[in-house]
Amino acid sequence: MYFFLSNLSFVDICFITTTVPKMLVNIQTESKDISYIGCLTQLYFFMIFLGLDNFLLTIMSYDRFVAICHPLHYTVIMKPQLCVLLVLMSWVINFWISLLHILLMIQLNFCRGTDIPHFFCELAQIIKLACSDTFINNIFLYVSTALLGVFPFTGILFSYSQIVSSLMRMSSAGSKYKAFSTCVSHLSVVSLFYGTGLGVYLSSVVTHSFQASSIASAMYTVVTPMLNPFIYSLRNKDVKGALGRLLCRAGSFP
């Protein structure tokens, strides 16, 4: 679990780095320009780390499934070699899918001075702004969304369905609580990540508002990765104690 957490933390840092520094420069300089190469570069790394977040959360749900449903075989199944292989495969898959998106994007024509209705170069928005045929790009976008988003989320749902089924068969309430407490942090992160992602989709479909879509996007590109280390740290007793003292101190002020 800690091996996967360290990878998730690294990916979250990189994920934020693809959008936030440029956004801060735009605010500081009061200029929202980005070059064609800069936009493609931002898009490429954004897709890599977004896909890695999906894959790592799925792998971590599988790790919890093995730990709770097959505790006696955990060390045999989740060997270090398998953990490294799963992470490495995630990097390779996302690297090639993101590269294919960029290669398809290069084939499109764009008007000079195109305005992107977003605070970063987002794939779906850029495809909509193309002046040439985007049929192949859209097809590949749907396929990659299923591969990098729907399938991992389905894997998470399957893992937790098995975990819940295993918890229901436990006779001791203490054992149920102890087993489920190891999943709370992961469940919180998954709910936050996919909940905000769903919010981005719904805001773009229902409202067609740039502001609503930007706020929802900021939640899953900035706020969610920032909260992930904090959520997992709450399992640490020292962090819990420090948070409790902070809240008590804040509550004592009028």
Side-chain angles (χ1 to χ4, degrees), residues 15-253:
F15 189 39
I16 294 177
T17 306
T18 59
T19 56
V20 173
K22 177 60 179 172
M23 181 176 66
L24 295 177
V25 169
N26 291 345
I27 295 172
Q28 177 67 26
T29 60
E30 297 183 357
S31 171
K32 299 179 181 179
D33 294 339
I34 187 170
S35 66
Y36 177 69
I37 298 298
C39 185
L40 291 181
T41 303
Q42 185 186 66
L43 177 62
Y44 174 69
F45 287 105
F46 178 82
M47 288 188 295
I48 286 179
F49 297 121
L50 178 62
L52 280 169
D53 255 342
N54 279 290
F55 275 45
L56 286 173
L57 290 174
T58 306
I59 293 170
M60 291 168 73
S61 70
Y62 175 72
D63 176 81
R64 293 299 84 206
F65 159 71
V66 176
I68 293 174
C69 299
H70 306 284
L72 299 180
H73 299 94
Y74 179 79
T75 54
V76 177
I77 297 174
M78 299 303 294
K79 295 183 293 186
Q81 296 92 328
L82 177 64
C83 296
V84 172
L85 179 63
L86 290 172
V87 173
L88 185 62
M89 284 177 60
S90 300
W91 277 93
V92 171
I93 291 171
N94 283 281
F95 171 83
W96 284 109
I97 289 180
S98 300
L99 183 61
L100 286 172
H101 271 299
I102 297 301
L103 293 175
L104 289 172
M105 192 69 66
I106 292 174
Q107 310 302 318
L108 300 179
N109 297 320
F110 295 92
C111 301
R112 193 174 184 85
T114 300
D115 291 330
I116 302 173
H118 222 301
F119 66 90
F120 67 96
C121 293
E122 202 263 335
L123 181 60
Q125 294 288 349
I126 296 176
I127 291 177
K128 291 178 182 178
L129 298 173
C131 302
S132 52
D133 182 42
T134 60
F135 177 75
I136 296 178
N137 298 74
N138 284 316
I139 292 297
F140 190 63
L141 174 60
Y142 296 142
V143 172
S144 60
T145 300
L147 179 62
L148 303 181
V150 177
F151 288 167
F153 184 64
T154 304
I156 293 173
L157 291 178
F158 175 78
S159 295
Y160 275 103
S161 68
Q162 296 300 307
I163 289 172
V164 170
S165 176
S166 179
L167 290 177
M168 295 299 291
R169 291 195 297 269
M170 292 182 181
S171 57
S172 169
S175 299
K176 290 181 180 179
Y177 174 79
K178 186 177 179 180
F180 184 73
S181 64
T182 63
C183 304
V184 172
S185 299
H186 182 260
L187 267 176
S188 302
V189 172
V190 167
S191 301
L192 197 60
F193 183 75
Y194 283 100
T196 51
L198 182 62
V200 172
Y201 174 76
L202 292 178
S203 63
S204 62
V205 171
V206 177
T207 65
H208 298 286
S209 169
F210 161 66
Q211 186 176 6
S213 180
S214 296
I215 292 173
S217 296
M219 284 294 295
Y220 89 91
T221 58
V222 180
V223 178
T224 301
M226 182 182 68
L227 289 178
N228 285 353
F230 179 73
I231 291 172
Y232 277 103
S233 297
L234 285 178
R235 292 183 60 191
N236 186 290
K237 292 182 179 179
D238 294 331
V239 175
K240 285 182 180 178
L243 179 62
R245 289 191 296 271
L246 179 64
L247 294 175
C248 291
R249 194 178 307 161
S252 63
F253 285 102

